[in-house]
Amino acid sequence: MNIKEKFGLKVKQLREEKGKSIEYLANISNVDRNYISDIEKGKRNVSITIIEKIVHALDVDLVTFFNDKNFKR
């Protein structure tokens, strides 16, 4: 699994754990719904600005988000 897929999977997991839709996340993060869908599928190389928006919208800090076994080598 590459880093784009790992990031997308983590976004999707957190979003679903919180019971939120892609549309909700798009509205809160101010990121296009289709873009978020592509991120969750591992199809986008996401900028740090977008990462910050999405992680903040999921109400998680960056350290907690990336301090996950899926991001360890």
Side-chain angles (χ1 to χ4, degrees):
M1 187 179 304
N2 67 43
I3 189 69
K4 293 185 296 186
E5 293 168 331
K6 290 176 185 179
F7 180 78
L9 180 62
K10 181 69 175 184
V11 169
K12 185 175 182 175
Q13 285 176 328
L14 286 173
R15 179 181 60 75
E16 289 178 344
E17 284 174 10
K18 294 175 182 285
K20 305 300 181 189
S21 66
I22 289 177
E23 290 80 13
Y24 174 86
L25 182 56
N27 288 332
I28 297 300
S29 65
N30 199 30
V31 175
D32 184 80
R33 181 184 71 76
N34 292 322
Y35 194 82
I36 291 176
S37 177
D38 284 349
I39 289 169
E40 289 187 356
K41 294 173 187 170
K43 295 182 178 181
R44 293 291 184 150
N45 191 14
V46 187
S47 74
I48 192 68
T49 303
I50 299 297
I51 291 170
E52 181 183 41
K53 287 180 176 186
I54 291 172
V55 171
H56 182 71
L58 290 168
D59 198 29
V60 178
D61 64 84
L62 286 168
V63 173
T64 301
F65 184 91
F66 286 107
N67 191 19
D68 183 286
K69 65 180 178 183
N70 291 327
F71 291 107
K72 307 280 192 239
R73 284 192 172 203

Coordinates of all heavy atoms in Angstrom, one line a residue:
M1 N 0.9 -1.2 0.0 CA 0.0 0.0 0.0 C 0.9 1.2 0.0 O 1.8 1.4 0.8 CB -0.9 0.0 1.3 CG -1.9 1.1 1.3 SD -3.0 1.1 2.7 CE -3.7 -0.5 2.7
N2 N 0.6 2.2 -0.9 CA 1.4 3.4 -1.0 C 0.9 4.5 0.0 O -0.2 4.3 0.6 CB 1.6 3.9 -2.4 CG 0.3 4.4 -3.0 OD1 -0.5 5.1 -2.3 ND2 0.0 4.1 -4.2
I3 N 1.6 5.6 0.1 CA 1.3 6.6 1.1 C -0.1 7.3 0.8 O -0.8 7.6 1.7 CB 2.4 7.6 1.3 CG1 2.2 8.6 2.4 CG2 2.6 8.4 0.0 CD1 2.2 7.9 3.8
K4 N -0.4 7.4 -0.5 CA -1.7 8.0 -0.9 C -2.8 7.1 -0.4 O -3.8 7.6 0.1 CB -1.7 8.2 -2.4 CG -0.8 9.3 -2.9 CD -0.9 9.6 -4.3 CE -0.6 8.4 -5.2 NZ -0.6 8.7 -6.6
E5 N -2.6 5.8 -0.6 CA -3.7 4.8 -0.2 C -3.8 4.8 1.3 O -4.9 4.7 1.9 CB -3.3 3.5 -0.7 CG -3.5 3.4 -2.2 CD -2.9 2.1 -2.8 OE1 -1.9 1.5 -2.2 OE2 -3.3 1.7 -3.9
K6 N -2.6 4.8 2.0 CA -2.7 4.8 3.5 C -3.4 6.1 4.0 O -4.2 6.0 5.0 CB -1.2 4.8 4.1 CG -0.5 3.5 3.8 CD 0.9 3.6 4.3 CE 1.7 2.3 4.0 NZ 3.1 2.4 4.5
F7 N -3.1 7.3 3.5 CA -3.7 8.5 3.9 C -5.2 8.4 3.7 O -6.0 8.8 4.5 CB -3.1 9.7 3.2 CG -3.7 11.0 3.6 CD1 -3.4 11.6 4.8 CD2 -4.7 11.6 2.8 CE1 -4.0 12.8 5.2 CE2 -5.2 12.8 3.2 CZ -4.9 13.4 4.4
G8 N -5.6 8.0 2.5 CA -7.0 7.9 2.1 C -7.8 7.0 3.0 O -8.9 7.3 3.4
L9 N -7.2 5.8 3.3 CA -7.8 4.9 4.2 C -8.0 5.4 5.6 O -9.1 5.3 6.1 CB -7.0 3.6 4.2 CG -7.5 2.5 5.1 CD1 -8.8 2.0 4.6 CD2 -6.5 1.3 5.2
K10 N -7.0 6.1 6.1 CA -7.1 6.7 7.4 C -8.2 7.8 7.4 O -9.0 7.9 8.4 CB -5.8 7.3 7.8 CG -5.8 8.0 9.2 CD -5.9 6.9 10.3 CE -5.8 7.6 11.6 NZ -5.8 6.7 12.7
V11 N -8.3 8.6 6.4 CA -9.4 9.6 6.3 C -10.7 9.0 6.3 O -11.6 9.3 7.1 CB -9.2 10.5 5.0 CG1 -10.4 11.4 4.8 CG2 -8.0 11.4 5.2
K12 N -10.9 7.9 5.5 CA -12.2 7.2 5.4 C -12.5 6.6 6.8 O -13.7 6.7 7.2 CB -12.1 6.2 4.3 CG -13.4 5.5 4.1 CD -13.4 4.5 2.9 CE -14.7 3.9 2.7 NZ -14.7 3.1 1.5
Q13 N -11.6 5.9 7.4 CA -11.8 5.3 8.7 C -12.3 6.3 9.7 O -13.3 6.1 10.4 CB -10.5 4.6 9.2 CG -10.2 3.3 8.5 CD -8.9 2.8 9.0 OE1 -8.0 3.5 9.4 NE2 -8.8 1.4 9.0
L14 N -11.6 7.4 9.8 CA -12.0 8.4 10.8 C -13.3 9.0 10.5 O -14.2 9.2 11.4 CB -10.9 9.5 10.9 CG -9.6 9.2 11.6 CD1 -8.6 10.3 11.4 CD2 -9.9 8.9 13.1
R15 N -13.6 9.3 9.2 CA -14.8 9.9 8.8 C -16.0 8.9 9.2 O -17.0 9.4 9.7 CB -14.8 10.2 7.3 CG -16.1 10.8 6.8 CD -16.1 11.0 5.3 NE -15.9 9.8 4.5 CZ -16.8 8.9 4.3 NH1 -18.0 9.0 4.8 NH2 -16.5 7.9 3.5
E16 N -15.8 7.7 8.9 CA -16.9 6.7 9.1 C -17.1 6.5 10.6 O -18.2 6.3 11.1 CB -16.6 5.4 8.4 CG -16.8 5.5 6.9 CD -16.5 4.2 6.1 OE1 -15.8 3.3 6.7 OE2 -16.9 4.2 5.0
E17 N -15.9 6.4 11.4 CA -16.0 6.3 12.9 C -16.9 7.4 13.5 O -17.6 7.2 14.5 CB -14.7 6.3 13.5 CG -13.9 5.0 13.3 CD -12.5 5.1 13.8 OE1 -12.1 6.1 14.5 OE2 -11.7 4.1 13.6
K18 N -16.7 8.6 12.9 CA -17.5 9.8 13.4 C -18.9 9.9 12.8 O -19.6 10.8 13.2 CB -16.7 11.0 13.1 CG -15.4 11.1 13.9 CD -14.5 12.3 13.6 CE -13.2 12.2 14.3 NZ -13.3 12.6 15.7
G19 N -19.2 8.9 12.0 CA -20.6 8.9 11.4 C -20.9 10.0 10.4 O -22.0 10.5 10.3
K20 N -19.8 10.5 9.7 CA -20.0 11.6 8.8 C -19.9 11.2 7.4 O -19.2 10.2 7.0 CB -18.9 12.7 9.1 CG -18.8 13.2 10.5 CD -20.0 13.8 11.0 CE -19.9 14.3 12.4 NZ -21.1 14.8 13.0
S21 N -20.6 11.9 6.5 CA -20.6 11.6 5.1 C -19.5 12.4 4.4 O -18.9 13.3 5.0 CB -21.9 12.1 4.5 OG -22.0 13.5 4.5
I22 N -19.2 12.0 3.2 CA -18.2 12.7 2.4 C -18.6 14.2 2.2 O -17.8 15.1 2.3 CB -17.9 12.0 1.1 CG1 -17.2 10.7 1.3 CG2 -17.1 12.9 0.1 CD1 -16.9 9.9 0.0
E23 N -19.9 14.4 2.0 CA -20.5 15.7 1.8 C -20.2 16.6 3.1 O -19.9 17.7 2.9 CB -22.0 15.6 1.5 CG -22.3 15.1 0.1 CD -22.2 13.5 0.1 OE1 -22.2 12.9 1.1 OE2 -22.2 13.0 -1.1
Y24 N -20.5 16.0 4.2 CA -20.2 16.7 5.5 C -18.8 17.1 5.6 O -18.5 18.3 5.9 CB -20.6 15.9 6.7 CG -20.3 16.5 8.0 CD1 -21.2 17.4 8.6 CD2 -19.1 16.2 8.6 CE1 -20.9 18.0 9.8 CE2 -18.8 16.9 9.8 CZ -19.7 17.7 10.4 OH -19.4 18.3 11.6
L25 N -17.9 16.2 5.3 CA -16.5 16.5 5.4 C -16.1 17.5 4.4 O -15.3 18.4 4.7 CB -15.6 15.2 5.2 CG -14.1 15.3 5.3 CD1 -13.7 15.9 6.7 CD2 -13.5 14.0 5.1
A26 N -16.6 17.5 3.2 CA -16.3 18.5 2.2 C -16.8 19.9 2.6 O -16.0 20.8 2.5 CB -17.0 18.1 0.9
N27 N -17.9 19.9 3.2 CA -18.4 21.2 3.7 C -17.6 21.8 4.8 O -17.3 23.0 4.8 CB -19.9 21.1 4.1 CG -20.8 21.0 2.9 OD1 -20.6 21.4 1.8 ND2 -22.0 20.3 3.2
I28 N -17.3 21.0 5.8 CA -16.5 21.5 6.9 C -15.1 21.8 6.6 O -14.5 22.8 7.0 CB -16.5 20.4 8.1 CG1 -17.9 20.1 8.5 CG2 -15.6 20.8 9.2 CD1 -18.6 21.3 9.1
S29 N -14.4 21.0 5.7 CA -13.1 21.2 5.3 C -12.9 22.2 4.2 O -11.8 22.7 3.9 CB -12.4 19.9 4.9 OG -13.0 19.4 3.7
N30 N -14.0 22.5 3.5 CA -13.9 23.4 2.3 C -13.1 22.8 1.2 O -12.3 23.5 0.5 CB -13.5 24.8 2.7 CG -13.8 25.8 1.6 OD1 -14.9 25.7 0.9 ND2 -13.0 26.9 1.5
V31 N -13.2 21.5 1.0 CA -12.6 20.7 0.0 C -13.7 20.0 -0.8 O -14.6 19.5 -0.3 CB -11.6 19.7 0.6 CG1 -11.0 18.8 -0.5 CG2 -10.5 20.4 1.4
D32 N -13.5 20.1 -2.1 CA -14.5 19.5 -3.0 C -14.8 18.0 -2.7 O -13.9 17.2 -2.4 CB -14.1 19.6 -4.5 CG -15.1 19.1 -5.5 OD1 -16.0 19.9 -5.8 OD2 -15.0 17.9 -5.9
R33 N -16.1 17.7 -2.7 CA -16.6 16.3 -2.4 C -15.9 15.3 -3.3 O -15.5 14.2 -2.8 CB -18.1 16.2 -2.6 CG -18.7 14.9 -2.2 CD -20.2 14.9 -2.5 NE -20.5 14.9 -3.9 CZ -20.4 13.8 -4.7 NH1 -19.9 12.7 -4.2 NH2 -20.7 13.9 -6.0
N34 N -15.8 15.5 -4.6 CA -15.2 14.5 -5.5 C -13.7 14.4 -5.2 O -13.1 13.3 -5.3 CB -15.4 15.0 -6.9 CG -16.8 14.9 -7.3 OD1 -17.5 14.0 -6.9 ND2 -17.3 15.8 -8.1
Y35 N -13.0 15.5 -4.8 CA -11.6 15.4 -4.4 C -11.4 14.5 -3.2 O -10.5 13.7 -3.1 CB -11.1 16.8 -4.2 CG -9.6 17.0 -4.1 CD1 -8.9 17.0 -5.3 CD2 -8.9 17.0 -2.9 CE1 -7.5 17.2 -5.3 CE2 -7.6 17.1 -2.9 CZ -6.9 17.2 -4.0 OH -5.5 17.3 -4.0
I36 N -12.3 14.7 -2.2 CA -12.2 13.9 -1.0 C -12.5 12.4 -1.3 O -11.8 11.5 -0.8 CB -13.2 14.4 0.1 CG1 -12.7 15.7 0.7 CG2 -13.3 13.3 1.2 CD1 -13.6 16.4 1.7
S37 N -13.4 12.1 -2.2 CA -13.7 10.8 -2.6 C -12.4 10.2 -3.3 O -12.0 9.0 -3.0 CB -14.8 10.7 -3.6 OG -15.1 9.4 -4.1
D38 N -11.8 10.9 -4.1 CA -10.5 10.5 -4.8 C -9.4 10.3 -3.7 O -8.6 9.3 -3.9 CB -10.1 11.5 -5.8 CG -10.9 11.4 -7.1 OD1 -11.7 10.4 -7.3 OD2 -10.7 12.3 -8.0
I39 N -9.3 11.1 -2.7 CA -8.3 11.0 -1.7 C -8.6 9.6 -1.0 O -7.6 8.9 -0.7 CB -8.4 12.1 -0.7 CG1 -7.9 13.4 -1.3 CG2 -7.6 11.8 0.6 CD1 -8.2 14.7 -0.5
E40 N -9.8 9.4 -0.6 CA -10.1 8.1 0.1 C -9.8 6.9 -0.7 O -9.6 5.8 -0.1 CB -11.6 8.2 0.6 CG -11.9 9.1 1.7 CD -13.3 9.0 2.3 OE1 -14.1 8.2 1.7 OE2 -13.6 9.8 3.2
K41 N -9.9 7.0 -2.0 CA -9.5 5.9 -2.9 C -8.0 5.8 -3.2 O -7.6 4.9 -3.9 CB -10.3 6.0 -4.2 CG -11.8 5.9 -4.0 CD -12.5 6.2 -5.4 CE -14.0 6.3 -5.2 NZ -14.6 6.8 -6.4
G42 N -7.3 6.8 -2.6 CA -5.8 6.8 -2.9 C -5.4 7.3 -4.2 O -4.3 6.9 -4.7
K43 N -6.3 8.0 -4.9 CA -6.0 8.5 -6.2 C -5.4 9.9 -6.3 O -5.1 10.4 -7.4 CB -7.3 8.5 -7.0 CG -7.9 7.1 -7.3 CD -9.1 7.2 -8.1 CE -9.7 5.8 -8.4 NZ -10.9 5.9 -9.2
R44 N -5.3 10.6 -5.2 CA -4.8 12.0 -5.2 C -3.5 12.1 -4.4 O -3.3 11.5 -3.3 CB -5.8 12.9 -4.6 CG -7.1 13.1 -5.3 CD -6.8 13.8 -6.6 NE -8.0 14.1 -7.3 CZ -8.2 15.1 -8.1 NH1 -7.3 16.0 -8.2 NH2 -9.4 15.3 -8.7
N45 N -2.6 12.9 -4.9 CA -1.4 13.3 -4.2 C -1.7 14.6 -3.5 O -1.8 15.7 -4.1 CB -0.2 13.5 -5.2 CG 1.1 13.6 -4.4 OD1 1.2 13.3 -3.3 ND2 2.1 14.0 -5.2
V46 N -2.0 14.6 -2.2 CA -2.6 15.7 -1.5 C -1.6 16.7 -1.0 O -0.5 16.2 -0.4 CB -3.4 15.1 -0.3 CG1 -4.2 16.2 0.4 CG2 -4.4 14.0 -0.8
S47 N -1.8 18.0 -1.1 CA -0.9 19.0 -0.6 C -1.1 19.0 1.0 O -2.1 18.6 1.5 CB -1.3 20.4 -1.2 OG -2.5 20.9 -0.6
I48 N -0.1 19.6 1.6 CA -0.1 19.7 3.0 C -1.2 20.7 3.5 O -1.8 20.5 4.6 CB 1.3 20.2 3.6 CG1 1.4 20.1 5.1 CG2 1.6 21.6 3.2 CD1 1.4 18.7 5.6
T49 N -1.6 21.6 2.7 CA -2.7 22.5 3.0 C -4.0 21.7 3.1 O -4.8 21.9 4.0 CB -2.8 23.6 1.9 OG1 -1.6 24.3 1.9 CG2 -3.9 24.6 2.3
I50 N -4.2 20.9 2.1 CA -5.5 20.1 2.1 C -5.4 19.0 3.2 O -6.5 18.8 3.9 CB -5.6 19.3 0.7 CG1 -5.8 20.3 -0.4 CG2 -6.8 18.4 0.7 CD1 -7.0 21.3 -0.4
I51 N -4.3 18.5 3.5 CA -4.2 17.5 4.6 C -4.6 18.2 5.9 O -5.4 17.7 6.7 CB -2.7 17.0 4.7 CG1 -2.4 16.0 3.6 CG2 -2.5 16.3 6.1 CD1 -1.0 15.6 3.5
E52 N -4.1 19.4 6.1 CA -4.4 20.2 7.3 C -5.9 20.5 7.4 O -6.5 20.3 8.5 CB -3.6 21.5 7.4 CG -3.9 22.3 8.6 CD -3.2 23.6 8.7 OE1 -3.2 24.3 7.6 OE2 -2.7 24.0 9.7
K53 N -6.5 20.9 6.3 CA -8.0 21.1 6.3 C -8.8 19.9 6.6 O -9.7 20.0 7.4 CB -8.4 21.6 4.9 CG -8.0 23.0 4.6 CD -8.5 23.4 3.2 CE -8.2 24.9 2.9 NZ -8.8 25.3 1.6
I54 N -8.4 18.8 6.0 CA -9.2 17.5 6.3 C -9.0 17.0 7.7 O -10.0 16.7 8.4 CB -8.8 16.5 5.2 CG1 -9.3 16.9 3.8 CG2 -9.3 15.1 5.6 CD1 -8.8 16.0 2.7
V55 N -7.8 17.0 8.1 CA -7.5 16.5 9.5 C -8.2 17.4 10.5 O -8.8 16.9 11.5 CB -6.0 16.3 9.7 CG1 -5.7 16.0 11.2 CG2 -5.4 15.3 8.8
H56 N -8.1 18.7 10.3 CA -8.8 19.6 11.3 C -10.3 19.4 11.2 O -10.9 19.3 12.3 CB -8.4 21.0 10.9 CG -9.0 22.0 11.8 ND1 -8.6 22.2 13.1 CD2 -10.0 22.9 11.6 CE1 -9.3 23.1 13.7 NE2 -10.2 23.6 12.8
A57 N -10.8 19.2 10.1 CA -12.3 19.0 9.9 C -12.7 17.7 10.6 O -13.8 17.5 11.1 CB -12.7 19.0 8.5
L58 N -11.8 16.7 10.7 CA -12.1 15.4 11.4 C -11.9 15.6 12.9 O -12.0 14.6 13.6 CB -11.2 14.3 10.8 CG -11.5 13.9 9.4 CD1 -10.4 13.0 8.8 CD2 -12.9 13.1 9.3
D59 N -11.5 16.7 13.3 CA -11.3 17.0 14.7 C -10.2 16.2 15.3 O -10.3 15.6 16.4 CB -12.6 16.9 15.5 CG -12.5 17.6 16.9 OD1 -11.8 18.6 17.0 OD2 -13.2 17.1 17.8
V60 N -9.1 16.1 14.6 CA -7.9 15.3 15.0 C -6.7 16.2 14.8 O -6.7 16.9 13.8 CB -7.8 14.0 14.2 CG1 -6.5 13.2 14.6 CG2 -9.0 13.1 14.3
D61 N -5.7 16.1 15.6 CA -4.5 16.9 15.4 C -3.6 16.1 14.4 O -3.7 14.9 14.4 CB -3.8 17.3 16.6 CG -3.2 16.2 17.4 OD1 -2.1 15.7 17.1 OD2 -3.9 15.7 18.4
L62 N -2.7 16.8 13.8 CA -1.8 16.1 12.8 C -0.9 15.0 13.4 O -0.8 13.9 12.8 CB -0.9 17.1 12.1 CG -1.6 18.1 11.1 CD1 -0.7 19.2 10.7 CD2 -2.0 17.3 9.9
V63 N -0.4 15.2 14.6 CA 0.5 14.2 15.2 C -0.3 13.0 15.5 O 0.1 11.9 15.2 CB 1.1 14.8 16.5 CG1 1.8 13.7 17.3 CG2 2.0 15.9 16.2
T64 N -1.5 13.1 16.0 CA -2.4 12.0 16.3 C -2.7 11.2 15.0 O -2.7 10.0 14.9 CB -3.6 12.4 17.1 OG1 -3.3 13.0 18.3 CG2 -4.5 11.2 17.4
F65 N -3.1 12.0 14.0 CA -3.5 11.4 12.7 C -2.3 10.5 12.2 O -2.6 9.4 11.7 CB -3.8 12.5 11.7 CG -4.3 12.0 10.4 CD1 -5.7 11.7 10.2 CD2 -3.4 11.7 9.4 CE1 -6.1 11.2 9.0 CE2 -3.9 11.1 8.2 CZ -5.2 10.9 8.0
F66 N -1.1 11.1 12.1 CA 0.0 10.3 11.5 C 0.7 9.4 12.5 O 1.5 8.6 12.1 CB 1.0 11.3 10.9 CG 0.5 11.9 9.6 CD1 0.1 13.2 9.6 CD2 0.4 11.2 8.5 CE1 -0.4 13.8 8.4 CE2 -0.1 11.7 7.3 CZ -0.5 13.0 7.3
N67 N 0.3 9.4 13.8 CA 0.9 8.5 14.7 C 0.1 7.2 14.7 O -0.6 6.9 15.7 CB 1.0 9.1 16.1 CG 1.8 8.3 17.1 OD1 2.6 7.5 16.6 ND2 1.6 8.5 18.3
D68 N 0.1 6.5 13.6 CA -0.7 5.4 13.4 C 0.1 4.3 12.8 O 1.0 4.6 12.0 CB -1.8 5.8 12.4 CG -2.8 4.7 12.2 OD1 -2.5 3.7 11.4 OD2 -4.0 4.7 12.6
K69 N -0.1 3.1 13.2 CA 0.7 1.9 12.7 C 0.7 1.9 11.2 O 1.7 1.4 10.6 CB 0.2 0.6 13.3 CG -1.2 0.2 12.9 CD -1.6 -1.1 13.5 CE -3.1 -1.3 13.0 NZ -3.7 -2.5 13.5
N70 N -0.3 2.3 10.5 CA -0.4 2.3 9.1 C 0.6 3.2 8.4 O 1.0 3.0 7.2 CB -1.8 2.6 8.5 CG -2.8 1.6 8.9 OD1 -2.5 0.4 9.0 ND2 -4.0 2.0 9.2
F71 N 1.1 4.2 9.1 CA 2.1 5.1 8.6 C 3.5 4.7 8.9 O 4.5 5.3 8.5 CB 1.8 6.5 9.0 CG 0.6 7.1 8.4 CD1 -0.6 7.3 9.1 CD2 0.5 7.4 7.0 CE1 -1.7 7.8 8.6 CE2 -0.6 7.9 6.4 CZ -1.7 8.1 7.2
K72 N 3.7 3.7 9.7 CA 5.0 3.2 10.1 C 5.6 2.3 9.0 O 4.8 1.6 8.3 CB 5.0 2.4 11.4 CG 4.3 3.1 12.5 CD 5.2 4.1 13.2 CE 4.6 4.6 14.5 NZ 4.3 6.0 14.6
R73 N 6.9 2.4 8.8 CA 7.5 1.5 7.8 C 7.8 0.2 8.3 O 8.0 -0.1 9.4 CB 8.7 2.2 7.2 CG 8.3 3.3 6.3 CD 9.5 3.7 5.5 NE 9.0 4.6 4.5 CZ 9.6 4.9 3.4 NH1 10.8 4.3 3.2 NH2 9.1 5.7 2.5

